DNA sequence: ACTATATGAGATAAAAAGGTCTTAATATAT
DNA sequence: ATATATTAAGACCTTTTTATCTCATATAGT
């Protein structure tokens, strides 16, 4: 029931692409890595995998970089998580029990279940572009940098 | 917002102690490790730390083992988590953002907040003995073993 | 064609988490 | 006192995760 750092980086940077890139304006790993403050060689690896998984797109060479096609924009955050972590982890019992379900629940099973449903609403039932637009509309910055107040 | 395996083991085995041990009936690592199916040398290490943290108690020698005093029983699951993982991890932003709070929320901040509050009700506002009694009353087995139906 | 600039791929390294082993210390029972 | 059972402590090993490095490949612009 938790994301690896890899998944978090992948989510943030894909949402970054959704907001800032398109087929005519591709963005390099380096720029994204600096913008959201993640280690760039690590992000490069993640992007390779996301491209293979058809979550994002890329072109090589000058003015190349990463971006989302219309089709990519329809993918969900859960697709990203599935691509990077797999879905097992996010569905595991919070206390690690092998057998934990409605008829055999751990002490926090129903609490976790409710949470998971809400998360899935955002991460499965909404596509990346929709989520990105929501974030932009709310004026949020998704970065791992410290956001220092301007002086 | 997630527990390490170490924390999970510690929680399960402390709840095991709450249910099965007391000052007159101490239980050895080996027995507990087998009962809930966790690696026993690893659990031994965790128990050392829990003893230092005054979450559980121990005595050496024949008929020795681990158990909970009245004082230990008043500790909470959150005390266990704090002792093993520290509290930072459980309070981190679900997406890993450095700055994520009510006035600067990540896309799932309020969902996570609600979840955290519910978890805290069980893990901070209830002591170990109370939680254990609740679990016993509900007839739950907290083990990592597969619970195979009896033939 | 050549050069510069990107990504792609695979090997490698470093750090963290998970797990084991060995020896010492201590308490109990005989 | 001695043997035995148990935890305590610390070193050690393994696996997974995170991160880096190097070289190959593709593309654009000149």
């Amino acid at each position: 029931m938790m994301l690896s750092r890899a998944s978090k980086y992948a989510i943030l940077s894909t949402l970054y692409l959704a907001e800032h890139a398109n087929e005519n304006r591709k963005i390099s790993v380096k720029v994204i890595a600096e913008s959201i403050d993640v280690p760039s060689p690590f992000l490069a690896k993640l992007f390779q995998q996301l491209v293979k998984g058809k979550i994002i797109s890329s072109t090589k060479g000058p003015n190349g970089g990463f971006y989302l096609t219309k089709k990519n924009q329809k993918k969900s955050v859960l697709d990203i998580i599935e691509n990077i972590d797999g879905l097992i982890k996010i569905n595991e019992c919070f206390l690690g029990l092998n057998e934990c379900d409605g008829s055999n629940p751990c002490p926090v099973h129903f609490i976790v279940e409710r949470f998971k449903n809400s998360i899935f609403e955002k991460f499965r039932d909404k596509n990346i572009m929709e989520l990105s637009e929501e974030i932009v509309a709310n004026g949020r910055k998704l970065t791992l940098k410290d956001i220092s107040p301007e002086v």
Side-chain angles (χ1 to χ4, degrees), chain A residues 3-144:
Chain A
L3 308 179
S4 67
R5 210 180 287 190
S7 268
K8 289 173 185 169
Y9 291 170
I11 293 169
L12 296 179
S13 44
T14 302
L15 287 170
Y16 184 92
L17 289 179
E19 183 178 346
H20 296 102
N22 58 55
E23 316 225 3
N24 302 316
R25 182 189 162 77
K26 296 157 190 174
I27 307 189
S28 72
V29 171
K30 213 182 146 210
V31 167
I32 300 172
E34 276 169 15
S35 298
I36 64 177
D37 201 34
V38 309
S40 93
F42 190 53
L43 185 57
K45 275 283 139 203
L46 293 174
F47 271 5
Q48 273 184 37
Q49 197 176 334
L50 291 173
V51 170
K52 276 194 199 156
K54 299 186 196 300
I55 314 277
I56 68 177
S57 302
S58 69
T59 52
K60 295 180 179 177
N63 302 319
F66 297 90
Y67 61 99
L68 304 185
T69 61
K70 292 286 166 205
K71 218 171 177 179
N72 293 149
Q73 295 177 349
K74 296 284 191 322
K75 296 282 184 170
S76 70
V77 169
L78 205 68
D79 291 327
I80 300 175
I81 297 171
E82 180 172 18
N83 188 260
I84 302 291
D85 283 347
L87 286 189
I88 310 120
K89 265 172 84 176
I90 208 161
N91 278 312
E92 265 170 359
C93 169
F94 191 74
L95 294 179
L97 305 188
N98 286 327
E99 309 191 8
C100 175
D101 52 42
S103 61
N104 208 27
C106 83
V108 291
H109 176 77
F110 296 107
I111 295 172
V112 172
E113 202 64 11
R114 231 188 310 134
F115 173 61
K116 216 183 295 178
N117 288 337
S118 309
I119 289 286
F120 278 6
E121 241 176 76
K122 287 255 188 221
F123 284 178
R124 186 190 55 206
D125 303 343
K126 221 180 255 292
N127 71 40
I128 286 173
M129 208 56 203
E130 287 165 349
L131 185 58
S132 173
E133 279 159 5
E134 180 186 312
I135 291 164
V136 172
N138 292 327
R140 274 296 283 145
K141 291 231 182 318
L142 290 184
T143 169
L144 298 180

